[in-house]
Every structure is written in C-alpha cells, then in structure tokens.
Amino acid sequence: MQDQDKYAEQAAMDEASKAEQPAEPAAATAAAPSLEEQLAAAQQQLQELQDAFLRAKAETENARRRAQDDIARAHKFAIEGFAEALVPVKDSLEMALLVETPTIESLKEGVEMTLKQLSGAFEKGRLLEVKPAQGEKLDPMKHQAISMVPADQESNTIVAVLQKGYMISDRLLRPALVTVAQ
C-alpha cells in the first residue's frame, strides 16, 4: 500500500507542476510555421537546388565540349607554323624551274639559298639534325649501325655517317645511318 501512496503522491505533484507552468502564448504558436508552409519552403529550396545542379551540369558539358574543340583545332593546325616556313622554300624551287637558260653558277646559288631557307624552316619547327662526328660513341637511341668495319679506332665508335638523322625537339624522327668500328 505504501507503494500506491507514493505513486499517488507523485502523480499529484506532477499535476501541480503542470498547472504552475504558464501555457504557451498564442503568438508563439502563430509564429511557428505550419507543416504546409514548411513543406512549401522545402519544395522551393529543392527546386532551387535542382536548377543550380542542372546549370552546373550544363556548364561542365559546355566546358568539356569547348576543350574537345580546342584539342581538335590544335591537332588540325599543329603544323601550321612549319608549313608557313616551308612555303617560301617551295616558291624558290618553282622560280628556279622558270629560268629558261640557267647557268651552273646561278643554279648552285639558287640551291644554296633554298637550302638556307629550308634550314631556317627546320630551325623554326625545332627539327634538328643528328649528324654524329667520326669517333663518337654509338648511341642506339640516335644512331642506327648499318655495318661494322675494321678501323684504327675504339670499338663501337662511328667511322662514317651514311645519312643524317633528325629529331623533333627531344623525339627521334629518323636515326642517323652509320658504320661502326669493329
């Protein structure tokens, strides 16, 4: 029975404390947004986020497409500078063929001038000659040994260059063809 009295006494105290607490003011409940208002605000925020996402996605797609176009243009016109440097060489050769009675001296002078133009075009295009000197050590990354010949120099050194090689910047275009000492 004592337990029941304790429970009853506790319940009476709880009721009294509830009665002492002031009721929520009417203004506070009116200021709190209703569930419908909260839902509408959340839906508006969702719509704004979806719109921002779609705009960001479209901008990313446009940037990707622009990058692909830039790469395609770079590939298409990569040799434009080199081609511009070669056009005067072709013009010089065509002019030389138009001369009706060329002399040996004029032909030689024209060929030398054209070779100078071509060398300038090669420099502009970073096309470098690979012409090893006699006695230089064979470099398989730049030279191709065609044959080995007996020579009075160290083994695996270059005896003669049969054909120059070429590099574009640091990339081998064609190795130099050489004969090597046995």
Side-chain angles (χ1 to χ4, degrees):
M1 285 278 192
Q2 286 182 346
D3 287 336
Q4 286 179 348
D5 289 337
K6 282 185 185 178
Y7 287 122
E9 191 177 311
Q10 183 67 32
M13 287 174 64
D14 287 344
E15 287 293 321
S17 67
K18 283 183 186 176
E20 289 175 8
Q21 291 180 353
E24 290 184 7
T29 56
S34 68
L35 288 177
E36 291 82 22
E37 290 171 342
Q38 288 178 351
L39 178 61
Q43 286 175 336
Q44 181 181 358
Q45 185 179 13
L46 174 65
Q47 185 63 36
E48 290 171 1
L49 290 174
Q50 284 177 332
D51 185 50
F53 168 75
L54 290 176
R55 287 178 190 273
K57 185 177 177 184
E59 182 60 33
T60 302
E61 183 63 26
N62 288 340
R64 185 190 61 76
R65 196 175 305 117
R66 279 191 301 267
Q68 282 180 333
D69 290 346
D70 289 346
I71 290 170
R73 260 188 247 105
H75 284 291
K76 187 175 181 180
F77 299 110
I79 64 165
E80 183 176 11
F82 188 61
E84 285 175 350
L86 285 179
V87 168
V89 175
K90 184 176 187 291
D91 291 341
S92 295
L93 290 171
E94 287 173 344
M95 286 176 48
L97 291 175
L98 292 176
V99 176
E100 293 195 22
T101 55
T103 64
I104 298 292
E105 291 80 29
S106 68
L107 280 176
K108 184 176 181 190
E109 184 179 321
V111 169
E112 286 172 348
M113 288 175 44
T114 304
L115 181 60
K116 187 175 181 181
Q117 286 178 325
L118 185 61
S119 295
F122 279 14
E123 279 182 32
K124 215 175 185 183
R126 296 184 323 265
L127 186 62
L128 309 171
E129 287 183 357
V130 176
K131 187 174 182 195
Q134 184 178 3
E136 188 177 317
K137 196 84 168 143
L138 177 72
D139 181 357
M141 300 303 286
K142 293 181 182 179
H143 313 136
Q144 181 177 348
I146 297 299
S147 64
M148 293 185 86
V149 294
D152 295 334
Q153 60 190 51
E154 189 179 328
S155 180
N156 278 344
T157 57
I158 295 170
V159 174
V161 177
L162 305 174
Q163 186 179 54
K164 291 186 272 186
Y166 290 92
M167 295 182 72
I168 297 177
S169 294
D170 294 332
R171 188 178 192 185
L172 186 66
L173 182 64
R174 180 179 83 187
L177 302 179
V178 296
T179 56
V180 185
Q182 284 183 332

